[in-house]
Each structure stands twice: as C-alpha cells, then as structure tokens.
Amino acid sequence: MLLVAFLAFSQEVEIQAPWLTVYDAAGRPRWEVTLTRLAKTEEGWEGEDVEVRLYWEGEPKFLLFAPRIQADRLGRTWTLSGDITGEATDLTLSCKSATWEGSLKLTGLSLQGEELFLVADSAVWSEGNVISLAGVRAQTAGWEVELQEADYDLDTGVLSGRPAHLVGHGFEIEAEEIRIFTQEDRVQLKGAHVVPYP
C-alpha cells in the first residue's frame, strides 16, 4: 500500500512505500529497492535508509545498503550515496559510490571473503556471475597481486586478469595473464617471468 501526502507549501509529494521492484522481460525481478522514505523531486525521486537487491534470471547477486538513493523520474537509473556496504555471494563489500544505468557501476570497491581480499578502482556488473574490475589489488593464497584489469566470477571464485604482478612465497612474478582459483588455493600463469624475491 502506498501512502501519498501532498505538502501544499513546498509542493513536494512524499510517498512512503515498502519497496519498488523492476522486472526483466521474463517477469523476474531485476532489482528491488526497500527504503524507509521516498520523496518526489524535480529531477525524479530520492529516498533514505536504502536496501537494494540485484538479480540475474531471478537469482540474487548483490545486496547493497546505503543511507540515500537518488533516481530519475522513471526509476531506470539511480545512485546510492553515503557509507555503502553489502554482499555479493559469499563476499562482503563496501564502495564509495554505486550507480545503476543498465548495469551496476561501483567505484572504490573493497571485497572480502574467506580466501580473498580485493580492492579495485572501479567495477561493472550487468548480468551473469562475472564482475569486471579495473585497477585491482588482491591478496589470496599467500600472494599479493596487482592487475590492470580483471574479471571475478561470483560462483566459482576465479579471479582472472592481465597483466599481473605477484609477490609472495619468496618470489616476484610478472605475467601476461593470471587465473587465481581462490577456492582451491591454486594459481595459473601465462607468459610469466619469475625473479627470486628477497
């Protein structure tokens, strides 16, 4: 049920609702927003105490919490602000900003799980299980890894990227490509040059 209050002096329409849901072409939820306050603005609407769930083919992929949200009039694009935290599969996350414009764009991302700690300058997710990352620094399986660009598979826990710089286990390694199987404690390298690390 929606409760609509018309404020005569400020010409603001405030809507209090438990949730807003957007569906894909097959009628499955694409994203859902739960919030404690929703207010109409000249540009669209804004809300407070926000919880966002993002789905792919009906399966939940991301859960985000933020103090505030701003969206366009049709709710097709939105931006979260404040201290943003959340979850993605078995990982906890935090980020500086989160925007939806047909895909989820995150900046200043931090991901942490049992076998992985990762920070990235930016990340993009639109469908499936893969997050595309840029400016990555990760720690896993006793390695510290830097990647210019990478993909992380939420289901398999595989981090793959290029070019790679690794430090750990007494070595420093430069590689053209890397695949890190975080759930198996295993690393695959392509075009690697290994130098003993003091």
Side-chain angles (χ1 to χ4, degrees), residues 4-18:
V4 182
F6 294 91
L7 307 177
F9 297 107
S10 64
Q11 298 298 309
E12 179 185 78
V13 177
E14 182 174 300
I15 304 172
Q16 297 176 359

Side-chain angles (χ1 to χ4, degrees), residues 23-177:
Y23 296 89
D24 64 16
R28 298 167 297 205
R30 183 65 169 126
W31 54 264
E32 183 176 65
V33 177
T34 305
L35 59 167
T36 59
R37 180 179 176 273
L38 177 65
K40 191 176 187 311
T41 66
E42 289 184 4
E43 295 79 22
W45 54 270
E46 58 187 26
E48 297 177 353
D49 298 325
V50 186
E51 178 179 311
V52 177
R53 294 180 185 274
L54 294 146
Y55 300 84
W56 174 246
E57 295 183 343
E59 295 294 323
K61 293 298 176 184
F62 285 86
L63 173 61
L64 302 172
F65 301 97
R68 294 173 298 281
I69 187 172
Q70 292 180 313
D72 67 358
R73 292 179 181 176
L74 299 178
R76 292 179 180 164
T77 65
W78 45 259
T79 299
L80 300 179
S81 58
D83 294 327
I84 303 166
T85 59
E87 302 170 7
T89 312
D90 294 328
L91 303 172
T92 59
L93 69 86
S94 63
C95 62
K96 293 181 179 177
S97 69
T99 301
W100 178 266
E101 296 177 341
S103 61
L104 178 64
K105 299 176 183 178
L106 307 172
T107 62
L109 174 66
S110 173
L111 289 172
Q112 185 164 1
E114 187 175 334
E115 305 297 333
L116 174 69
F117 175 74
L118 178 150
V119 294
D121 295 336
S122 62
V124 177
W125 175 84
S126 59
E127 58 186 42
N129 299 312
V130 177
I131 308 171
S132 297
L133 306 161
V136 179
R137 294 159 305 285
Q139 297 175 4
T140 184
W143 294 100
E144 294 184 6
V145 184
E146 294 183 6
L147 300 162
Q148 287 185 12
E149 57 185 37
D151 290 331
Y152 182 77
D153 191 303
L154 293 167
D155 278 356
T156 64
V158 175
L159 177 67
S160 56
R162 65 179 65 184
H165 179 259
L166 297 84
V167 175
H169 303 284
F171 294 94
E172 181 174 358
I173 301 172
E174 300 284 348
E176 295 175 9
E177 296 180 17

